[in-house]
Amino acid sequence: MYDAIIIGSGIGSLTTAGLLARAAGARVLVLEQHTTPGGLTHSFRRLGATWDVGVHYVGDMEPGSRPRQLMDYLTGGALTWNRMPAGYDRFYLPGHGLDVTIPAGADEYQRLLTSLFPHEKTAIRRYCRDVKRAYSWMSLHYAHEMVPPRAAPAVLLAQRALAGHALERTQHYMERRFRDPALRSLLTTHWGDYGVEPSRSAFVAHAMIVGHYMNGAWFPRGGSAQIARMIEKGIVGAGGRILLAHEVDQILVEDGAAVGVRVTDHSGAVPLTYEERAPIIISGIGARETYQRLLPTTGPTGGLTARVREKITGLGHGGSAVTVYLTLDHYPEGVTGANVWINTDTGLADPARMTAGLLDGHPRSAFISFPAIKSGEPHATAEIVSFVMPEAFERWAGTRPKQRGRDYEALTSSMARALIDLAESAVPGLKDAVRYVEVGTPLTVEHYTSHEGGCFYGLPLTPERFHADLGTPSTPITNLILTGQDAGMPGIVGAAMAGLSAACKALGPAGYPRINRALRTAPTGARAPRTPPPHPRGDAGAGRYTATVEHASWITPTIRDITLCLPTRATWEPGQYALVRVAPYQWRPYSLATPSGRIVRLLVDTRTRGHGAAWATHAAHTDEVTLELPYGHFLHDAATGDTHPDDTPRRRRIFVATGTGIAPFLAEFEQGLRADDVLLLGLATTSEDPTTRLDTPLPRVIRCVSREDAPGCFHGRVTHYLRAHGIDPHADYYVCGSPLMVADVARLIRDAGGRVHTESF
């Protein structure tokens, strides 16, 4: 039995798990529904470029600060923080004629505001004082949740003395304190950092963000995705484990106490449900999701949680966002890595007005970030974020990514164009530098994180939330603890500090002094005893293996064919993939190109210039490689789901691939090639054809070569071929390869009434 089970692997969950493991030697099981750990600290990749989906900058990371001490401890000192430019935030407010870069340092900040608005000098001084007091008020709120019970009353008394304006609405404070509307707009345009507009937010939410970045901003070198893997090392070292593709369906409660979870393992081809028990259950997926989805809402448990659920419902929802992810062929002149906030309105934010403008193609505000500059990654990237009300996307609720229809695609394309145009007004030259565009909406957030409506900041930071005493790890259920942003504040540091609070709760009255002593005396983490972390169900589901490279060769000038040998036999289905550790804390997904067994074959495109490409390029015979497998359901889902009542058992299969997208099909061809199968292969030139050096059985191959007129090949792209020869309504199409190709082919097939199953890399 594990000492604790933690639901979700966001930074709050990982902080709690890492502290329990490192400071107390506890065996912790972390269950994550996604196939990537880290929650909103994870990243995704397209064509070698990387975007950090939830981390844009982090404050309070100067050496010696409490958050820095905590992160150094959790990661064993492995995480390096890059300092952003001294002017880390730029505010472009054309309606007020302002273009202001915010400096690091409290004195510099106050001097800048006073120089811009000398007539508000006294109010600015009072504002800076009020921000400091509200920041201290929230810090004591955290402390109250951490310290032993005997010390809690004294902390609460000190907190009350600092209450001041903390729970006043931000807009009310601004309108009461400042006369100049331009100053009010400048001070509140970054409300997107905490997700609730000034008319609803508590002033303490605003103050926490201002105070958080007062000494500047930082970003993790190499990107935020590695944070989870760094913390994982300490968890595994103490005998714990992070299990991916494991969705918790229910928290088990007996006699008013949490005793375990019912979880479904989605890592295999067939989902398997089982129960796992532990003396402590910790949920990091959000208060709303925990109380309304994982706990019974009727019976004795429903009675215990009724009051909390009523409070949560009364708060309403926080905000969500539309994000445009861009790959650039260069950075426009003047881009330094600082964030850019754009606000074309002259009044305080109105989410309904902002949402209507964005949907209509006339966005009023945006946040622009350049993640690769901050992380040190080689590909030029940008993100444009615009906050929206999640209700605007309700018509597509319940739909799956890439299957939401032409109206959704048209809307996302329109929003992307409009946001790029708006960003161009503040960053000239950005539009011409764009070479790849992808759009995420509140539906995207909800799909990957389970946050209802895509409200990724959790419970809204309104005065009502604080009055309802909801920002706490404590719950009405014995042995059930909350962690993450709903147990504290949003953001990396806010959720991590809540994770610290939750760990203190889990360890009882001695928890705070025990953890505090560990942080003080072992800043890079104590060594925990290393015991094998068994899978809760033996050999079922995905496992971690140390494999050996048996063979590595080039099958095209840019594709590396790598064969690995596992220490024991593993089982997977064609279409599943492995996660491969390509650098100390960097993992990449690669399709399994062989059927089940001990031999794993991978095809790796080295043009991406990333960690995976470097690993594949230098892989050599006898090298050891750590990998986890299997994950995914690409071909298996296609064979068993989404069928029509009149379907015959066997439909003709047409496989469409570009580059290494052929890999999952190779496993299927080797396991069960059919006489009428067809492979439609997209190539730029015949030199890129991987099939000429493959020893796998292949169906009839139709090569579509776009950049040369080659004998025996179709001259053009795969989309040109499909348009010329038509879509077979009696066939199943399986499409894998570059995101742009997959999107174009899938759209073409669906528009013609065909059935298509897709995967992109």
Side-chain angles (χ1 to χ4, degrees):
M1 177 182 284
Y2 285 89
D3 298 310
I5 295 173
I6 299 184
I7 306 167
S9 68
I11 192 63
S13 294
L14 292 174
T15 298
T16 303
L19 288 172
L20 292 178
R22 286 183 177 271
R27 296 180 69 242
V28 182
L29 175 63
V30 180
L31 300 170
E32 169 57 52
Q33 67 157 6
H34 194 15
T35 53
T36 301
L40 287 172
T41 66
H42 89 273
S43 62
F44 75 96
R45 298 172 61 81
R46 296 287 187 267
L47 305 173
T50 303
W51 295 269
D52 301 84
V53 297
V55 180
H56 299 101
Y57 55 153
V58 181
D60 283 333
M61 279 297 151
E62 61 271 18
S65 70
R66 182 67 161 182
R68 177 64 174 267
Q69 183 185 38
L70 177 61
M71 294 305 296
D72 286 349
Y73 180 77
L74 290 169
T75 63
L79 182 61
T80 299
W81 292 89
N82 289 340
R83 181 146 196 169
M84 289 176 58
Y88 57 91
D89 263 346
R90 174 187 162 209
F91 291 87
Y92 179 64
L93 284 63
H96 292 294
L98 290 174
D99 191 343
V100 179
T101 298
I102 302 298
D107 293 340
E108 291 81 358
Y109 178 69
Q110 187 169 335
R111 277 197 294 269
L112 171 68
L113 294 180
T114 302
S115 68
L116 293 172
F117 303 95
H119 52 290
E120 298 274 23
K121 180 178 180 179
T122 300
I124 290 169
R125 185 174 64 251
R126 290 174 179 168
Y127 165 76
C128 291
R129 180 199 63 196
D130 292 340
V131 163
K132 188 175 181 179
R133 285 173 60 90
Y135 188 93
S136 297
W137 181 88
M138 188 62 200
S139 298
L140 287 172
H141 177 85
Y142 277 116
H144 178 260
E145 298 298 330
M146 297 179 197
V147 298
R150 65 179 182 275
V155 175
L156 188 60
L157 188 64
Q159 186 189 18
R160 286 173 179 167
L162 289 169
H165 306 284
L167 299 185
E168 184 178 355
R169 295 199 189 277
T170 305
Q171 180 169 325
H172 184 266
Y173 175 93
M174 293 294 171
E175 291 177 342
R176 182 175 57 79
R177 180 69 80 198
F178 301 111
R179 297 186 303 273
D180 195 320
L183 177 55
R184 293 198 293 261
S185 290
L186 176 62
L187 294 177
T188 59
T189 285
H190 69 317
W191 66 267
D193 272 338
Y194 53 90
V196 186
E197 68 279 9
S199 63
R200 287 201 302 146
S201 66
F203 179 71
V204 67
H206 172 87
M208 287 300 289
I209 290 299
V210 175
H212 181 62
Y213 294 112
M214 193 60 77
N215 291 319
W218 283 259
F219 200 82
R221 182 180 300 173
S224 61
Q226 62 189 330
I227 297 175
R229 294 297 188 178
M230 290 175 174
I231 298 176
E232 179 188 32
K233 184 176 181 180
I235 296 170
V236 172
R241 191 163 184 181
I242 298 176
L243 293 180
L244 306 179
H246 278 64
E247 181 178 11
V248 174
D249 305 311
Q250 184 180 352
I251 296 172
L252 305 176
V253 180
E254 296 176 358
D255 298 325
V259 297
V261 296
R262 181 173 295 113
V263 58
T264 299
D265 178 359
H266 293 281
S267 63
V270 178
L272 297 172
T273 300
Y274 65 99
E275 291 184 0
E276 183 71 26
R277 296 190 170 229
I280 297 174
I281 309 300
I282 302 169
S283 177
I285 67 168
R288 190 185 307 274
E289 290 72 20
T290 300
Y291 286 110
Q292 297 181 353
R293 184 166 64 83
L294 296 187
L295 288 168
T297 56
T298 58
T301 302
L304 289 171
T305 63
R307 190 163 178 266
V308 177
R309 286 185 286 110
E310 183 180 350
K311 289 179 180 180
I312 290 173
T313 300
L315 291 181
H317 289 278
S320 190
V322 168
T323 304
V324 180
Y325 302 98
L326 305 174
T327 300
L328 312 175
D329 56 22
H330 67 279
Y331 287 112
E333 185 178 352
V335 170
T336 64
N339 306 311
V340 181
W341 295 86
I342 305 175
N343 182 6
T344 63
D345 277 337
T346 55
L348 294 180
D350 179 349
R353 177 180 164 95
M354 291 170 58
T355 300
L358 178 60
L359 298 180
D360 193 39
H362 299 91
R364 301 175 179 278
S365 63
F367 168 82
I368 311 168
S369 174
F370 302 94
I373 293 181
K374 293 179 285 190
S375 68
E377 294 291 290
H379 293 270
T381 56
E383 299 171 0
I384 309 172
V385 183
S386 188
F387 293 90
V388 297
M389 299 173 68
E391 295 86 350
F393 296 86
E394 284 181 345
R395 61 184 293 193
W396 295 285
T399 59
R400 297 180 63 184
K402 298 180 172 52
Q403 297 182 19
R404 297 191 169 118
R406 291 301 294 270
D407 53 348
Y408 178 84
E409 292 179 7
L411 176 61
T412 55
S413 295
S414 171
M415 292 189 298
R417 288 193 299 270
L419 285 170
I420 292 171
D421 286 341
L422 179 62
E424 175 78 13
S425 68
V427 187
L430 179 69
K431 188 174 182 179
D432 289 340
V434 174
R435 66 180 178 89
Y436 174 76
V437 179
E438 187 164 331
V439 182
T441 70
L443 299 175
T444 314
V445 178
E446 183 171 18
H447 175 78
Y448 287 108
T449 69
S450 293
H451 284 98
E452 185 177 331
C455 300
F456 48 82
Y457 280 128
L459 299 179
L461 294 170
T462 61
E464 291 77 13
R465 169 179 164 172
F466 293 96
H467 287 308
D469 197 27
L470 288 174
T472 170
S474 301
T475 76
I477 307 297
T478 303
N479 299 333
L480 175 62
I481 299 170
L482 297 186
T483 188
Q485 59 187 2
D486 281 351
M489 293 284 283
I492 289 286
V493 171
M497 295 305 290
L500 171 57
S501 298
C504 293
K505 290 281 186 188
L507 294 175
Y512 179 72
R514 186 175 187 178
I515 291 175
N516 208 33
R517 185 166 55 252
L519 290 174
R520 186 175 61 252
T521 60
T524 59
R527 289 184 176 270
R530 296 182 176 274
T531 55
H535 191 285
R537 296 183 296 110
D539 295 330
R544 180 172 291 189
Y545 304 88
T546 299
T548 304
V549 176
E550 281 205 341
H551 174 77
S553 63
W554 296 97
I555 56 172
T556 77
T558 59
I559 296 178
R560 189 80 157 157
D561 184 358
I562 301 173
T563 302
L564 309 174
C565 183
L566 301 175
T568 59
R569 178 182 171 82
T571 303
W572 61 85
E573 294 287 334
Q576 294 194 278
Y577 65 88
L579 288 174
V580 180
R581 183 159 61 193
V582 297
Y585 300 103
Q586 300 284 346
W587 296 69
R588 297 290 183 267
Y590 297 115
S591 291
L592 296 162
T594 45
S596 296
R598 290 186 61 191
I599 300 302
V600 172
R601 187 180 195 179
L602 309 173
L603 302 184
V604 183
D605 189 338
T606 61
R607 290 174 298 180
T608 59
R609 296 180 293 140
H611 291 287
W615 166 75
T617 298
H618 300 289
H621 180 61
T622 73
D623 284 355
E624 289 191 341
V625 182
T626 302
L627 68 163
E628 294 179 0
L629 61 85
Y631 292 110
H633 309 91
F634 176 34
L635 293 173
H636 182 79
D637 276 355
T640 61
D642 193 28
T643 58
H644 301 291
D646 60 346
D647 278 355
T648 57
R650 286 172 63 102
R651 292 164 60 94
R652 183 180 177 222
R653 304 188 302 181
I654 301 175
F655 300 88
V656 185
T658 55
T660 56
I662 195 176
F665 303 152
L666 298 181
E668 178 65 17
F669 297 154
E670 189 170 337
Q671 181 167 297
L673 186 63
R674 300 180 188 172
D676 58 350
D677 285 345
V678 174
L679 172 61
L680 192 60
L681 184 62
L683 306 164
T685 65
T686 53
S687 66
E688 297 180 358
D689 184 359
T691 63
T692 60
R693 298 189 61 184
L694 292 173
D695 54 5
T696 305
L698 295 173
R700 181 167 70 95
V701 181
I702 301 172
R703 295 171 176 83
C704 301
V705 185
S706 60
R707 295 184 184 174
E708 65 182 33
D709 194 356
C713 301
F714 176 84
H715 184 44
R717 300 180 183 273
V718 290
T719 48
H720 299 151
Y721 180 91
L722 291 170
R723 289 191 181 97
H725 292 81
I727 304 300
D728 182 353
H730 302 295
D732 276 321
Y733 288 83
Y734 305 94
V735 187
C736 188
S738 72
L740 294 176
M741 183 280 291
V742 169
D744 289 345
V745 170
R747 186 181 301 113
L748 181 63
I749 294 170
R750 290 191 181 109
D751 286 350
R755 289 176 53 188
V756 60
H757 314 278
T758 65
E759 185 152 277
S760 62
F761 284 94

